[in-house]
């Protein structure tokens, strides 16, 4: 709207009309299908202009807040508890309202405030009740198939952990071609974990290239796929191996295996970690005596911690879990040095010190080992070094220059339309700059 008022190009394109910003927003939110089709047409123009190299695709995600409040998030149990709390608050205000009615000189202003609070709380209570009746619990896709937090405002969004804190939003995933940083695929996912998004993105690229007549099998031409550690797990490595895709997706330990980064933490990492504010040094797992044969664990205080079982890791290995008993940790003289939150052992629903150990079993080679060999090779290091320079400037352009700092819509379909719209504008900018004239 502001551009239509001040920019001569926009004034010419809009025939000197100034549509209201809500009209523009309604048009974008209702045109997700058309935006997806236009995105593919622009991509075809990029191909015809020779802007696609199809030699290396870098895949990454950009987590952004959406038009949903994270205060309305929670598991079904947490939402039910919140509803019960609202009931108690409503009951309190009703009692106060009743007492004021019984007085001869009632304060009408106080009565009005109580009545307003009752109406507001009733709306919130009914909102939670309707959601619990109509929706189903959301299940995560992590190591354990457990319930994740739902959101009453937009249940397709999710709580995500970012470098700037926890947000309620979507993860905009983009696949970028190396030659001119053209976005070949853009999808929005309402889950914080990225590892399950790799296969849908690769399948979408394959289908789009076939539909546009660019290539019957783009990955058969030895096209390189790179993605960061958030996309790495055994299932994705298995998919890349079975589909014979030339992929490089490192695990989160790949830099520790590289001698070039042996002193990186001391030189460029967080200095003075022992003096950093908000960080409490506690006994590390190496201070516990772990016997993998007898499956026992002795804490620094000399107490035996019971075994809580084992948990499979993404690479197929097993991790042994141990947890201190509440009475042990509650009266332990070392709990201030051993636990991040010692007060959690003071109540019956708390936890003692928890520690885990990786079982060094002679597991057979898996697809993660295959990927480690590729990434740790000299060729793999050289190829993966291009990932950040290909995809990160694209997110910088969309976020800083195009000013997409949050998704303003609700629902995965509408959010994906908004994400593809900005990615399409990015591609159009590339066409105007590097395309052939005439």
């Amino acid at each position: 709207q502001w551009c239509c008022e001040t920019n001569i190009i926009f004034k010419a394109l809009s025939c000197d009309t100034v549509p209201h910003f809500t009209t523009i927003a309604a048009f974008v939110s209702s045109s997700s299908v058309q935006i997806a089709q236009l995105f593919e047409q622009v991509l075809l123009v990029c191909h015809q202009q020779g802007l696609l190299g199809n030699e290396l695709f870098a895949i990454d995600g950009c987590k952004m807040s959406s038009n949903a409040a994270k205060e309305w998030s929670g598991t079904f149990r947490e939402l039910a508890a919140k509803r019960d709390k609202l009931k108690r608050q409503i009951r309190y205000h009703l009692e106060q309202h009743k007492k004021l009615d019984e007085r001869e000189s009632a304060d009408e202003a106080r009565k009005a405030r109580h009545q307003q609070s009752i109406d507001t709380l009733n709306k919130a209570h009914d909102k939670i009740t309707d959601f619990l009746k109509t929706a189903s619990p959301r299940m995560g896709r992590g190591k354990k198939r457990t319930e994740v937090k739902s959101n009453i405002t937009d249940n397709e969004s999710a709580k995500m952990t970012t470098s700037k804190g926890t947000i309620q939003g979507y993860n905009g995933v983009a696949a970028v071609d190396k030659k001119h940083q053209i976005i070949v695929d853009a999808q929005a996912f309402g889950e914080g974990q990225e590892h399950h998004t790799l296969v849908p993105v690769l399948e979408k690229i394959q289908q789009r290239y076939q539909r546009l007549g660019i290539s019957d099998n783009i990955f058969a031409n030895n096209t390189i796929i790179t993605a960061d550690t958030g996309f790495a797990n055994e299932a994705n490595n298995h998919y890349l191996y079975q589909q014979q895709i030339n992929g490089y997706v490192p695990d989160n330990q790949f830099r520790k295996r590289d001698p070039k980064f042996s002193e990186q933490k001391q030189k460029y990492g967080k200095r003075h970690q022992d003096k950093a504010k908000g960080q409490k040094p506690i006994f590390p797992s190496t201070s516990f005596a772990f016997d993998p044969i007898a499956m026992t664990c002795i804490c620094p205080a000399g107490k035996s911690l019971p075994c809580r079982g084992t948990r499979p890791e993404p690479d197929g290995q097993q991790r042994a879990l141990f947890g201190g008993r509440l009475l042990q940790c509650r009266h332990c003289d070392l709990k201030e040095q051993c636990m991040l939150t010692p007060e959690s052992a003071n109540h019956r629903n708390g936890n003692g010190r928890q520690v885990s150990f990786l079982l060094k079993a002679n597991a057979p080679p898996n697809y993660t080992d295959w990927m480690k060999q590729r990434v740790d090779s000299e060729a793999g290091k050289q190829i993966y070094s291009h990932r950040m320079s290909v995809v990160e400037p694209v997110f910088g352009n969309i976020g800083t220059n195009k000013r997409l700092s949050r998704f303003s819509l609700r629902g995965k379909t509408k959010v994906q339309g908004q994400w593809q719209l900005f990615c399409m504008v990015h591609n159009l900018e590339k066409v105007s700059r590097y395309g052939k004239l005439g």
Side-chain angles (χ1 to χ4, degrees), residues 176-299:
V176 183
D177 182 83
K178 179 187 175 184
K179 185 176 181 180
H180 286 293
Q181 294 176 310
I182 301 295
I183 301 175
V184 298
D185 184 66
Q187 297 186 52
F189 296 90
E191 296 185 33
Q193 295 179 336
E194 294 177 327
H195 56 75
H196 69 276
T197 66
L198 181 64
V199 174
V201 169
L202 295 178
E203 290 179 346
K204 194 69 176 181
I205 294 174
Q206 176 82 314
Q207 297 169 4
R208 178 174 290 119
Y209 270 60
Q210 289 178 351
R211 184 165 54 250
L212 298 179
I214 300 176
S215 175
D216 291 335
N217 187 357
I218 184 61
F219 302 123
N221 301 328
N222 208 31
T223 300
I224 299 171
I225 300 297
T226 62
D228 67 1
T229 57
F231 294 85
N233 68 354
E234 179 69 11
N236 286 341
N237 294 331
H238 183 198
Y239 176 83
L240 294 173
Y241 182 86
Q242 292 292 338
Q243 299 296 323
Q244 299 182 354
I245 297 176
N246 190 15
Y248 292 87
V249 187
D251 60 289
N252 58 4
Q253 301 294 321
F254 80 106
R255 293 200 186 277
K256 293 184 178 180
R257 298 191 299 269
D258 192 343
K260 295 179 181 179
F261 293 92
S262 59
E263 299 181 358
Q264 182 191 35
K265 192 171 185 180
Q266 289 77 10
K267 288 185 177 180
Y268 309 107
K270 294 181 180 179
R271 299 180 177 91
H272 314 297
Q273 290 191 3
D274 54 336
K275 300 179 182 179
K277 295 182 179 179
Q279 294 184 0
K280 176 184 175 182
I282 60 173
F283 291 134
S285 59
T286 53
S287 301
F288 293 73
F290 172 59
D291 185 352
I293 306 300
M295 289 296 287
T296 58
C297 178
I298 307 299
C299 73

Side-chain angles (χ1 to χ4, degrees), residues 5-288:
E5 293 174 351
T6 59
N7 191 302
I8 188 63
I9 298 177
F10 279 78
K11 291 174 73 71
L13 291 174
S14 62
C15 299
D16 203 20
T17 62
V18 183
H20 197 261
F21 72 93
T22 57
T23 303
I24 300 174
F27 172 78
V28 174
S29 64
S30 62
S31 306
S32 300
V33 177
Q34 291 79 5
I35 291 173
Q37 296 172 352
L38 195 57
F39 175 86
E40 293 192 348
Q41 293 178 25
V42 172
L43 184 62
L44 183 59
V45 172
C46 294
H47 168 67
Q48 295 170 348
Q49 294 283 310
L51 303 183
L52 294 178
N54 298 328
E55 296 178 356
L56 185 146
F57 295 153
I59 302 174
D60 204 353
C62 182
K63 299 176 182 178
M64 286 184 283
S65 301
S66 64
N67 192 8
K70 63 181 179 181
E71 290 76 14
W72 288 103
S73 294
T75 62
F76 270 46
R77 182 177 180 180
E78 293 171 348
L79 292 175
K82 186 173 184 178
R83 180 186 58 183
D84 295 338
K85 182 179 179 179
L86 291 173
K87 284 183 180 179
R88 293 192 296 270
Q89 293 176 337
I90 293 171
R91 193 178 303 114
Y92 167 78
H93 285 286
L94 286 172
E95 291 174 355
Q96 295 299 317
H97 196 284
K98 184 178 180 181
K99 290 179 181 179
L100 290 173
D101 285 340
E102 293 174 353
R103 295 180 183 178
E104 294 181 358
S105 58
D107 189 346
E108 296 298 330
R110 289 184 61 188
K111 288 176 62 177
R113 287 198 299 269
H114 283 297
Q115 185 60 46
Q116 184 179 5
S117 299
I118 292 171
D119 295 339
T120 303
L121 293 171
N122 271 323
K123 290 180 181 179
H125 175 273
D126 295 341
K127 186 177 180 179
I128 297 177
T129 302
D130 294 340
F131 179 80
L132 294 177
K133 288 181 179 180
T134 56
S136 301
R138 289 186 62 179
M139 306 305 294
R141 299 190 186 184
K143 299 175 183 177
K144 297 181 180 180
R145 186 76 173 173
T146 57
E147 182 185 358
V148 297
K149 295 181 183 293
S150 303
N151 186 268
I152 296 178
T153 308
D154 181 5
N155 200 26
E156 291 184 298
S157 64
K159 269 192 173 181
M160 303 178 183
T161 303
T162 67
S163 59
K164 299 180 180 179
T166 304
I167 63 171
Q168 183 74 35
Y170 288 85
N171 187 14
V173 179
V176 183
D177 182 83
K178 179 187 175 184
K179 185 176 181 180
H180 286 293
Q181 294 176 310
I182 301 295
I183 301 175
V184 298
D185 184 66
Q187 297 186 52
F189 296 90
E191 296 185 33
Q193 295 179 336
E194 294 177 327
H195 56 75
H196 69 276
T197 66
L198 181 64
V199 174
V201 169
L202 295 178
E203 290 179 346
K204 194 69 176 181
I205 294 174
Q206 176 82 314
Q207 297 169 4
R208 178 174 290 119
Y209 270 60
Q210 289 178 351
R211 184 165 54 250
L212 298 179
I214 300 176
S215 175
D216 291 335
N217 187 357
I218 184 61
F219 302 123
N221 301 328
N222 208 31
T223 300
I224 299 171
I225 300 297
T226 62
D228 67 1
T229 57
F231 294 85
N233 68 354
E234 179 69 11
N236 286 341
N237 294 331
H238 183 198
Y239 176 83
L240 294 173
Y241 182 86
Q242 292 292 338
Q243 299 296 323
Q244 299 182 354
I245 297 176
N246 190 15
Y248 292 87
V249 187
D251 60 289
N252 58 4
Q253 301 294 321
F254 80 106
R255 293 200 186 277
K256 293 184 178 180
R257 298 191 299 269
D258 192 343
K260 295 179 181 179
F261 293 92
S262 59
E263 299 181 358
Q264 182 191 35
K265 192 171 185 180
Q266 289 77 10
K267 288 185 177 180
Y268 309 107
K270 294 181 180 179
R271 299 180 177 91
H272 314 297
Q273 290 191 3
D274 54 336
K275 300 179 182 179
K277 295 182 179 179
Q279 294 184 0
K280 176 184 175 182
I282 60 173
F283 291 134
S285 59
T286 53
S287 301
F288 293 73

Side-chain angles (χ1 to χ4, degrees), residues 2 16 88 178 325 367 406:
W2 177 80
D16 203 20
R88 293 192 296 270
K178 179 187 175 184
R325 295 186 178 91
Y367 297 101
R406 63 185 295 271

Side-chain angles (χ1 to χ4, degrees), residues 304-341:
S304 177
L305 274 62
C307 180
R308 305 297 187 185
T310 59
R311 182 187 68 199
E313 291 292 296
D315 58 1
Q317 298 190 58
Q318 295 290 323
R319 182 174 290 275
L321 309 176
F322 294 87
R325 295 186 178 91
L326 282 177
L327 292 179
Q328 287 179 344
C329 297
R330 184 178 301 167
H331 304 291
C332 181
D333 297 332
L334 301 178
K335 71 175 183 179
E336 294 291 337
Q337 307 172 48
C338 188
M339 301 178 63
L340 285 174
T341 54

